[in-house]
Amino acid sequence: MSAPRRRLALLVYVGDPSGTDYPLALWSLRGAAAADPHVSAAWDVAVRVFPHGASPGAVARAVAGASPDLVGLSTYVWNAATILAAGAAAARLLPGVPIVAGGPEAYPEAEERLARSPWLAGVCLGEGEVAFVELLRARAGGGGWPARGWARRGEDGRVGRDPEPAPVPMDDLPVLLRPGNEEMARPGGPVLYETSRGCPFACRFCYWSGEQLGARVRRRAADVVEAELDFALSRAPRELFLVDAELNSTVEHATRVLEAVVRARERHPASARTVVGLHLLLGVGRVDAGLARLARRAGARVIVGIQSLNPRALKRMGRGWSRIDVFHEELALLREAGNAIYNFDLIYGLPGDSLAHFREGARWVLDRGHRLWVGPLLVLPGTRFRSEAEEHGLAYAPEPPYEVLRSEGWSPAEIDRARRLGIGIDLYNRVGEALPIAAAALGTDLLDLLEAYGEAVDDGGDGPGGRGAPSASVRLAEFLAARAGEDGGLAAWTGELLDHWEHLRRADPRPFGASGPRSEEVPGEAPPLAPEARLRVGAPVLFRTYRFPIASFHRGWEGPRRPGRASVVLFSPSLPGGAMEVPPGTPAALRALDGGATAAEAGGAMPPGSKVLEVLVARGVLRPA
C-alpha cells in the first residue's frame, strides 16, 4: 500500500529579500506548521518570494506551476496591488485550489476584502500561526475550515467571520534562528528578528498598535533571545534588524537584548562588520545613559520615529505622552555615548501639523547632519485615523498605499510641496554633505534648494517612499549648473564637487550618517578639483587627501555638532592620493576654529609639511572665490 500523497501549501510574498523586506511572517508560519506533528505528517510548506516589479501574470504562472493544494498570500501596503492581482490570475489557473490571504492589507477589513475578491476563499484574522496550522489540520482530515481564525466564504457564497484566536505567547512561537534554518541568516545578507510582539501605545496612524494586536507587549524568554542572536551573529550577516515595534518598551528588555548582542559579538569576531538596526522610542523616559552606552557597544544603528516635532500634531496622532523636552534629553544621551542616529522619520500631512512645522522639523534634523526619511501619512485600514477620518478632515487615496490628499492644517498644494521636498531629501540621503555645501555656495537655503530640485525632476511617478521619482534625464550637476546661472566658475565647481563626492560615495557606499566599518581601500583615483576652482579665504584648516570621506570625518568628531556652526570639507588637488590618517589634534583644531579661533590659537595641530586649504568656516560653507 502506497503512502498518501503529501500536500503542498505555497506561501507567496512580493518584496525585496536582498534588503530587509523579506517574509519573516511566512517563515514563522512554516515553522509553526513544521512543529505540529499532525500537519508535518501530511503537508509540505514552501515559501516563494517574488521581487518588486514582477508582473502579476508571471507570479500567477509560477504559483500554478508548483501545483499547490493551498495558496497563501502575504499582503502589505507596498505589495497589495501586485499580489492580489496575481492571486486573481492564479485562481483562474488553479480551479478548486483554495487561495487565502493574510497580513495588514487583508485582515482589518476582511469581509470587505472577500466581497471585493470573489476568487478569495478566506482571510486570516490577526496573527497567523494558530489559524494557519488549524487550517492545515482541518484540510488534512478532509474537513473544510477550523472553528476560529478566519473570515471565509461559505458554500452558499456568503461571507462569515469566525472568532479570532488570542495572541500567542512569544515562547509558544517557533524558534527560527537555529541550525537547520541557515537560509534565514545567510552570511553577508540581512537578518530580521523579533524579540517581542505588540505595542503599549495606540498611535492613530499605526496598525501595529494596542487596538489591533493587544496592548500587552509579549516578549521572548531571555535564554531564547540569547541563543537566536548568537546563531544569527555567528553567520556574520550584513545587517541584523530587530523588528520590535519599539525595542525599549521597557529599559530592562532593551538592556537584556543589547547585552545579548554584545556577548554574541564577542563570541563571533566575524560579526564586527554586522550593523544592528533597531527602533528606539524617545520622549517617554525609556532611554538612560546606561542604555545609550550599551547601544554603542552593540554597534547599533538607531532609528528614531518621532513623526513630528510639533506637540499639537503629536497629541492629535495619539502620542500626547511624547514630550519634546525629554526627546531632546534622550537624543543627547545617545549622541554623547557615540551612537550614530541612522535615521529620523518625519510624516507630512498629519492632522494638526502644517507645512511650516514640517519644514522646521526637517531643518532641525538636517542641520544636525542626520539622515532623514520623510513620507506622506498613509491612512491605513485598521488604524484610528482611518475610522476617524472625518473628524480629522482627512481625505485619502482609495487604493494602496492610501496616501493623504488633505487633512486639517494641510491643503493639497501644501502636501504636494512637502512631497517635492521629500524628493530632495531623498537625494540628500544619497549625496550627504555635498548639498549643504552647494546650497551655501549658491547662496540659497538648503530646504529651498532641495524643494527646487524636487520640483525640477519630479515626473509625478512613484519614487522611494511613495514620492515622485527623479527623471533619469536630469542630473543633479545640471540642476546646480542651471541654478548658478551665468557664473561659469561656480557651475563648474559645483559639478566637480559632486563628481568628487560620487567617487567617495562609491568607495564608501554606506548611507550618509550610517555607522559601522568602511572599506579601507578606495579603488581608482578621485577626480581632482580644477586648479582654477579657488576657494575664498577664511580660517586655514589642516587638509587631508581627497580620499578621505567627508561624512566619515564628521562621524569622528567628539560630541554633537552644533547647529549654525562650522562643518569643514577637505579637498586638495595638490596632494598625492595616499590614504593618510587624520593627525592627532585635528578635530580639536577644527572645533577651535568653529568657535572663531585663529589657526595659531588652534594649538598648532598642523605638522610640518602639511598642505593647507583655506575655507570659510560658517554653517558648513566652502565658497568659490
Side-chain angles (χ1 to χ4, degrees):
M1 182 176 177
S2 61
R5 183 183 74 86
R6 293 185 63 78
R7 305 183 185 199
L8 173 64
L10 184 62
L11 304 178
V12 182
Y13 183 74
V14 174
D16 177 18
S18 65
T20 53
D21 175 18
Y22 70 61
L24 179 63
L26 296 188
W27 280 336
S28 189
L29 296 189
R30 186 181 66 179
D36 185 282
H38 300 289
V39 171
S40 60
W43 287 88
D44 293 320
V45 178
V47 175
R48 182 72 188 271
V49 181
F50 297 89
H52 288 299
S55 72
V59 174
R61 290 190 295 272
V63 168
S67 301
D69 298 282
L70 183 142
V71 177
L73 308 177
S74 182
T75 67
Y76 291 85
V77 69
W78 55 82
N79 71 6
T82 298
I83 205 165
L84 291 173
R92 292 192 286 271
L93 298 175
L94 295 167
V97 174
I99 298 178
V100 298
E105 193 54 34
Y107 156 51
E109 298 175 348
E111 292 90 344
E112 292 85 345
R113 174 59 63 192
L114 286 167
R116 294 196 301 268
S117 309
W119 52 271
L120 194 60
V123 170
C124 182
L125 303 176
E127 296 175 0
E129 286 87 358
V130 171
F132 180 63
V133 167
E134 292 185 354
L135 175 62
L136 295 187
R137 278 186 192 168
R139 295 281 164 167
W145 293 90
R148 59 178 182 170
W150 295 90
R152 54 191 173 80
R153 199 180 311 279
E155 292 183 2
D156 59 0
R158 298 177 65 182
V159 173
R161 185 184 183 104
D162 296 322
E164 183 176 333
V168 180
M170 289 292 287
D171 290 337
D172 291 345
L173 294 173
V175 173
L176 300 178
L177 294 175
R178 56 176 175 78
N181 268 3
E182 282 77 12
E183 68 175 313
M184 291 193 62
R186 292 190 174 95
V191 175
L192 269 63
Y193 181 55
E194 56 181 357
T195 73
S196 66
R197 285 187 183 177
C199 182
F201 306 108
C203 303
R204 284 186 168 89
F205 62 87
C206 184
Y207 170 80
W208 184 251
S209 71
E211 281 197 347
Q212 289 293 335
L213 297 173
R216 187 173 64 86
V217 177
R218 295 159 286 142
R219 302 180 181 90
R220 279 202 185 275
D223 59 333
V224 177
V225 171
E226 182 95 24
E228 292 196 271
L229 288 174
D230 185 80
F231 174 76
L233 290 169
S234 74
R235 305 280 293 166
R238 179 184 74 245
E239 178 177 21
L240 170 63
F241 196 84
L242 304 176
V243 297
D244 306 54
E246 305 294 350
L247 185 67
N248 60 330
S249 55
T250 69
V251 174
E252 294 76 17
H253 177 71
T255 298
R256 285 194 297 268
V257 172
L258 292 175
E259 285 175 344
V261 170
V262 171
R263 288 190 292 269
R265 282 193 184 276
E266 292 171 348
R267 288 189 293 266
H268 305 292
S271 69
R273 299 182 66 85
T274 300
V275 173
V276 178
L278 54 91
H279 288 269
L280 286 181
L281 184 66
L282 273 59
V284 290
R286 295 182 181 176
V287 174
D288 59 22
L291 183 62
R293 290 192 296 270
L294 188 56
R296 179 68 182 88
R297 289 179 59 207
R301 187 178 71 176
V302 180
I303 297 173
V304 178
I306 187 63
Q307 280 76 54
S308 175
L309 290 172
N310 180 355
R312 183 166 180 264
L314 289 171
K315 185 174 181 180
R316 290 290 294 277
M317 73 175 81
R319 298 186 71 150
W321 39 262
S322 183
R323 291 177 49 190
I324 296 297
D325 57 337
V326 176
F327 168 83
H328 288 300
E329 292 169 4
E330 294 178 332
L331 181 62
L333 288 175
L334 289 169
R335 294 303 303 271
E336 288 166 6
N339 288 283
I341 309 300
Y342 172 67
N343 207 63
F344 278 80
D345 294 350
L346 290 178
I347 297 175
Y348 59 82
L350 285 165
D353 213 345
S354 66
L355 178 61
H357 277 110
F358 172 74
R359 285 174 61 94
E360 182 180 329
R363 186 184 304 283
W364 186 91
V365 175
L366 297 184
D367 276 353
R368 284 153 181 80
H370 298 306
R371 192 173 187 267
L372 173 64
W373 179 91
V374 302
L377 172 65
L378 305 181
V379 189
L380 299 172
T383 64
R384 294 170 65 196
F385 269 147
R386 180 85 158 216
S387 61
E388 301 169 359
E390 186 174 350
E391 176 184 340
H392 299 286
L394 281 164
Y396 54 89
E399 298 297 329
Y402 312 108
E403 289 189 14
V404 63
L405 303 175
R406 181 185 64 247
S407 74
E408 183 184 317
W410 291 84
S411 69
E414 288 170 327
I415 288 174
D416 207 46
R417 281 191 62 188
R419 181 184 63 85
R420 291 195 296 268
L421 176 57
I423 297 173
I425 289 172
D426 220 35
L427 175 77
Y428 172 87
N429 290 333
R430 298 196 299 270
V431 186
E433 294 197 350
L435 279 177
I437 299 162
L442 293 167
T444 189
D445 176 75
L446 174 60
L447 289 187
D448 290 342
L449 183 70
L450 296 180
E451 185 178 341
Y453 173 81
E455 184 173 5
V457 303
D458 181 21
D459 63 4
D462 290 332
R467 297 181 293 273
S471 168
S473 63
V474 180
R475 294 183 66 242
L476 175 60
E478 295 171 355
F479 166 75
L480 292 176
R483 298 279 294 190
E486 298 180 358
D487 189 339
L490 180 59
W493 180 80
T494 54
E496 288 169 8
L497 170 65
L498 292 164
D499 289 343
H500 190 96
W501 182 264
E502 176 64 19
H503 172 84
L504 296 175
R505 188 194 63 77
R506 289 195 302 269
D508 184 11
R510 298 169 303 167
F512 172 61
S515 62
R518 65 174 296 273
S519 172
E520 296 300 326
E521 298 299 325
V522 179
E525 290 293 326
L529 295 176
E532 59 270 17
R534 300 187 54 172
L535 301 175
R536 181 168 299 176
V537 174
V541 175
L542 174 67
F543 172 63
R544 297 259 310 104
T545 86
Y546 48 66
R547 288 190 172 199
F548 189 84
I550 301 164
S552 293
F553 185 80
H554 289 311
R555 288 195 291 272
W557 281 29
E558 299 170 7
R561 291 171 54 198
R562 288 173 287 171
R565 289 293 192 169
S567 170
V568 181
V569 182
L570 310 173
F571 293 103
S572 173
S574 60
L575 282 179
M580 300 165 57
E581 294 296 325
V582 178
T586 301
L590 294 182
R591 284 197 300 277
L593 291 172
D594 187 28
T598 66
E601 293 168 340
M606 304 178 188
S610 296
K611 298 291 183 180
V612 172
L613 182 67
E614 293 179 327
V615 300
L616 176 66
V617 182
R619 289 192 63 83
V621 176
L622 279 180
R623 286 187 61 90

